[in-house]
Amino acid sequence: MPSLIRLLAKRLGTSLIVLIGVSLLIFAIARVIPGDPARIALGPNATAEAIAALRDRLHLDQSFLTQYGYFLADLVRGDLGTSLYTNRPVTSDIAQFLPATLELVIIAGLMMVAFGLPLGILSARHRGTFIDHAIRMVTLLGVSAPGFVWAVILMLVFAYFLPLFPIAGRISDSFTIPPVSGFLLIDTLLAGNIRAFGNAAWHIVLPAFALALSGIGQAARLVRSNMVETYDKPYIEMAQSYGFAEKRIARRYAFRPSLIPSLTIIGLDFAAMLGNAFLVEAVFAWPGLSRYGVAVILRKDLNAIVGTVLIMSALFLIVNIVVDLLVSIINPRIRLSQRAS
Amino acid sequence: MSAPTLKIEDLKLAFKTHRGLIEVLHGISLHIRKGERVALVGESGSGKSVTARIVLGLLQQMKTARIAGKLEFEGRELDRLSRRDRHQLRGTKMSMIFQDPTSSLNPTYTIGVQFREVLDRAKPGISAADARLKAVEALADVSIHEPERVLDSYAFQLSGGMNQRVMIAMALANNPSLLLADEPGTALDVTVQAQTLRLMSTLAEKHHTAVLFISHNLGVVREFADRVYVIYQGNIVEQGPTGALFDNPRHPYTRALLAAVPRITGGGIPDIAETTDDFFAPLAAHAGFSEKELLA
Ligand SMILES: Nc1ncnc2c1ncn2[C@@H]1O[C@H](COP(=O)(O)OP(=O)(O)OP(=O)(O)O)[C@@H](O)[C@H]1O
Ligand SMILES: [Mg+2]
């Protein structure tokens, strides 16, 4: 569909501009945090010459714009510099820690859709009844606390008092899985190790659910309210007058049109999980980008901070583009106006 | 004589609200013969739409609605039918046309997709190709010159008049015996409305479809109806053949109504603010046109 490609190109273009803005901003902020990165990196016993040498290597004594220029030149070559914390290229660090975070966020996002949408639909179809009230109560509970609070509660209840799930980590130590994609749920399957896959899945349930809970609540409530509103539209009565099955009306006449306004916000909620994952990861000792992110900020590891933030922003933008595409697929008005313009 | 297409006897309706029971229909009776075009006229809130919705069985699903009375469709008592059989009639034997055609179509599907859903009611599992052929034919019947383009369009891409034609084509596509037209096209421009109504009327005649024509507009009623029922606050107050009723209104309410309408423009129903006791006078039926006489 050429109109979709045009939309995609437009969004990618604006995203690039946003990313440049973000990089400038974070580049500046990272340099404003008090403390000399070279001194922190080399420790209290470093000689003045060593510090000066490192400052020189990092171009720290040059103007801000010159530094940014060096940074951009490296970035174009796919080089985010070296982390002073791990002494490895920032790109390798990110490649190591990002998959764990992505895996968590993607599973949580799937949970949000898999539980949130059906609950919302059920609630709307049975609006005003006991089912509706019950679902609204439960989902209100879901949105009433942030993910990390749920993480603590779920961990206490389902890992500590009732030891149904593991307390921490991505997989039990007894398994050694060669990393291919970095996603354990994929790599265990690639290794043909079903037991390891089960173990990894078992580990991800609680953290993903904790991360997903408020999203599930939000999605369910949003879908419900938009769908209930849609139930008052004339085309619902028209569908009923033609005797279409109740389920069909719910799905095609009430849910689908109501999804257009819901989807954008659900997408934002999903993107927000990238940020919320930080604290959930901390609670479950999940070896994701969050621990890395916190550590590098505390050490004023300039390259690593900028790299981490840039990757997160890029992911955020990608999610937004995907949502925009989905919306334009289900909303013919947008799709067609795209073609016209 | 064969059974009338629709017979309503002593239909009562009340809504349960937090302020108690509100009576909306106080026992109305009317009937429509095969192929007949019958108008139900009355001011806003008099109970026209609810009557049509009860015939279709839409109001019965509402928990707050209390309904009593007898409904017969082609000689079969509707309340005696199983839920399934009753549901089966909708969209096949009876269909409805609404006030605002554009907002009565689903904005997320093309006309073609919706047309197929309608055809699928009468012919479950109809193939996309067959449905398209039938839809093209039906659209050609309502004088749509580019049926293919219309089928691939969304309602918001078409004019109100075009959507109204689509609605008429859909409503008649399954050859229903009864068409309920609830102020069809009132949302449209007057000339467009008249054009599409003429189309609907001609087509209904061609399909031998009886029409219950609900309207605000006396001018329109005069042009399109064979017989008229006047409803006032949930009671039928006068009935008769269109010509006789317009020339010689007998019930005080009908008289007040006709007197208040600007004859030439034949516009909408005026709101008659003062209510006199005569408006509640018993039903005036023109000679030979009471329910009893007609159904004898
Ligand atoms: N769901 C409902 N709950 C309570 N009262 C209702 C409900 N639906 C309709 N009514 C009442 O029933 C009466 C008849 O409504 P109806 O829609 O049949 O009027 P109408 O004759 O079609 O008017 P209009 O010309 O404005 O369409 C009105 O007084 C309305 O307030
Ligand atoms: Mg009405």
Side-chain angles (χ1 to χ4, degrees):
Chain A
M1 238 175 287
S3 57
L4 283 185
I5 291 170
R6 192 168 310 156
L7 179 73
L8 188 64
K10 216 152 97 185
R11 288 291 185 280
L12 283 176
T14 46
S15 297
L16 194 67
I17 296 171
V18 171
L19 274 182
I20 291 174
V22 167
S23 71
L24 257 175
L25 198 67
I26 188 64
F27 201 77
I29 290 175
R31 275 155 184 75
V32 176
I33 310 173
D36 178 354
R39 190 177 292 279
I40 299 173
L42 295 174
N45 301 325
T47 62
E49 290 84 58
I51 291 175
L54 184 55
R55 284 189 67 84
D56 184 48
R57 184 153 69 80
L58 296 174
H59 313 293
L60 285 179
D61 295 320
Q62 314 211 312
S63 76
F64 175 78
L65 278 184
T66 316
Q67 291 184 42
Y68 187 69
Y70 279 116
F71 164 76
L72 275 190
D74 287 344
L75 182 63
V76 172
R77 285 182 283 113
D79 180 2
L80 285 170
T82 306
S83 161
L84 299 178
Y85 166 50
T86 60
N87 254 324
R88 298 193 309 169
V90 171
T91 44
S92 330
D93 283 349
I94 289 175
Q96 182 186 340
F97 296 116
L98 183 63
T101 296
L102 277 186
E103 192 165 36
L104 184 64
V105 169
I106 288 172
I107 297 292
L110 290 179
M111 283 180 171
M112 170 167 83
V113 171
F115 294 118
L117 299 193
L119 280 176
I121 295 173
L122 204 64
S123 198
R125 270 188 75 184
H126 299 280
R127 57 203 174 282
T129 68
F130 171 74
I131 298 177
D132 181 27
H133 296 312
I135 292 177
R136 288 169 76 187
M137 283 275 290
V138 173
T139 54
L140 183 63
L141 204 65
V143 295
S144 61
F148 70 92
V149 172
W150 283 118
V152 172
I153 294 174
L154 290 179
M155 181 191 213
L156 279 177
V157 175
F158 295 105
Y160 186 75
F161 292 119
L162 301 169
L164 297 172
F165 292 96
I167 286 212
R170 289 179 82 191
I171 192 161
S172 301
D173 291 337
S174 52
F175 297 101
T176 31
I177 302 297
V180 181
S181 63
F183 293 83
L184 275 183
L185 291 177
I186 294 174
D187 290 349
T188 50
L189 288 182
L190 289 179
N193 193 338
I194 296 296
R195 281 194 45 239
F197 175 80
N199 189 275
W202 183 47
H203 273 81
I204 207 171
V205 170
L206 277 193
F209 194 61
L211 183 57
L213 254 174
S214 64
I216 292 174
Q218 192 119 29
R221 298 174 72 78
L222 194 68
V223 164
R224 180 201 179 270
S225 74
N226 281 330
M227 205 168 144
V228 164
E229 205 172 289
T230 312
Y231 262 118
D232 282 335
K233 300 273 178 171
Y235 50 81
I236 296 283
E237 200 175 27
M238 141 111 180
Q240 287 168 339
S241 83
Y242 276 102
F244 299 155
E246 208 49 57
K247 262 200 177 138
R248 191 184 186 85
I249 293 177
R251 192 162 38 88
R252 293 169 63 92
Y253 285 75
F255 175 64
R256 187 167 160 142
S258 81
L259 194 57
I260 295 168
S262 308
L263 198 59
T264 313
I265 297 182
I266 291 175
L268 283 178
D269 279 348
F270 178 67
M273 282 182 183
L274 284 170
N276 295 338
F278 270 53
L279 286 166
V280 173
E281 285 183 9
V283 173
F284 282 96
W286 192 262
L289 206 54
S290 79
R291 286 219 247 161
Y292 181 72
V294 173
V296 297
I297 287 174
L298 291 178
R299 291 183 172 247
K300 207 171 176 197
D301 185 346
L302 293 182
N303 290 336
I305 294 173
V306 174
T308 308
V309 171
L310 263 189
I311 289 293
M312 283 304 209
S313 316
L315 285 175
F316 199 89
L317 290 170
I318 290 172
V319 170
N320 276 309
I321 290 175
V322 170
V323 168
D324 275 352
L325 286 181
L326 284 178
V327 168
S328 80
I329 286 171
I330 60 165
N331 188 354
R333 261 179 234 259
I334 292 189
R335 187 160 16 101
L336 295 165
S337 73
Q338 210 65 38
R339 185 176 301 165
S341 71
Chain B
M1 207 183 247
S2 68
T5 300
L6 177 71
K7 190 167 118 191
I8 298 177
E9 234 178 274
D10 202 22
L11 180 65
K12 291 183 177 145
L13 165 71
F15 285 106
K16 221 174 89 179
T17 69
H18 49 273
R19 280 174 288 123
L21 223 53
I22 298 179
E23 283 197 48
V24 172
L25 296 176
H26 305 280
I28 65 166
S29 301
L30 64 84
H31 76 274
I32 308 173
R33 291 200 177 286
K34 191 168 162 48
E36 200 178 21
R37 292 171 301 177
V38 170
L40 183 59
V41 208
E43 63 182 6
S44 189
S46 54
K48 306 179 299 288
S49 296
V50 289
T51 304
R53 279 160 183 73
I54 290 173
V55 172
L56 267 174
L58 292 178
L59 221 52
Q60 279 82 339
Q61 304 163 339
M62 251 177 86
K63 285 206 195 77
T64 54
R66 299 277 173 280
I67 301 166
K70 203 163 126 187
L71 296 172
E72 271 181 34
F73 182 70
E74 300 187 316
R76 290 194 290 173
E77 204 175 316
L78 287 176
D79 288 330
R80 295 242 176 106
L81 295 182
S82 68
R83 268 181 73 101
R84 240 183 113 241
D85 287 348
R86 172 110 206 228
H87 188 262
Q88 181 52 38
L89 293 175
R90 266 193 240 161
T92 56
K93 290 297 208 177
M94 351 172 143
S95 56
M96 186 148 168
I97 296 180
F98 296 88
Q99 195 166 350
D100 182 355
T102 305
S103 56
S104 296
L105 290 161
N106 188 332
T108 54
Y109 292 106
T110 59
I111 305 291
V113 169
Q114 291 176 76
F115 222 112
R116 183 173 172 200
E117 289 191 299
V118 168
L119 293 168
D120 188 79
R121 288 288 299 150
K123 247 188 150 188
I126 188 169
S127 75
D130 286 354
R132 197 161 174 103
L133 268 176
K134 279 196 95 163
V136 164
E137 230 170 79
L139 289 182
D141 267 354
V142 289
S143 311
I144 288 179
H145 303 302
E146 298 170 285
E148 298 281 351
R149 184 181 68 82
V150 168
L151 284 177
D152 291 329
S153 302
Y154 294 88
F156 60 83
Q157 294 176 288
L158 303 172
S159 68
M162 192 62 93
N163 284 325
Q164 179 69 353
R165 285 162 197 248
V166 168
M167 296 289 289
I168 293 170
M170 278 184 183
L172 292 171
N174 290 331
N175 270 316
S177 329
L178 177 64
L179 177 64
L180 301 155
D182 191 354
E183 307 190 17
T186 314
L188 304 176
D189 180 293
V190 184
T191 44
V192 176
Q193 189 191 348
Q195 263 173 15
T196 50
L197 283 177
R198 234 159 261 149
L199 249 166
M200 179 185 90
S201 194
T202 325
L203 261 182
E205 214 167 316
K206 191 177 134 193
H207 288 250
H208 307 292
T209 299
V211 183
L212 179 63
F213 185 73
I214 293 173
S215 185
H216 259 137
N217 191 317
L218 292 172
V220 165
V221 167
R222 196 169 193 164
E223 182 173 349
F224 293 106
D226 303 321
R227 261 190 320 123
V228 179
Y229 289 89
V230 180
I231 185 171
Y232 178 67
Q233 297 201 359
N235 286 300
I236 304 269
V237 294
E238 179 157 358
Q239 67 180 87
T242 308
L245 190 138
F246 273 86
D247 293 341
N248 181 23
R250 306 243 300 268
H251 192 278
Y253 175 69
T254 319
R255 275 193 209 149
L257 207 59
L258 290 177
V261 176
R263 282 257 162 180
I264 300 161
T265 56
I269 288 229
D271 261 333
I272 298 176
E274 310 142 44
T275 306
T276 66
D277 284 344
D278 344 333
F279 285 3
F280 296 99
L283 167 71
H286 289 252
F289 281 89
S290 74
E291 286 295 290
K292 266 216 183 77
E293 288 161 333
L294 284 163
L295 290 167

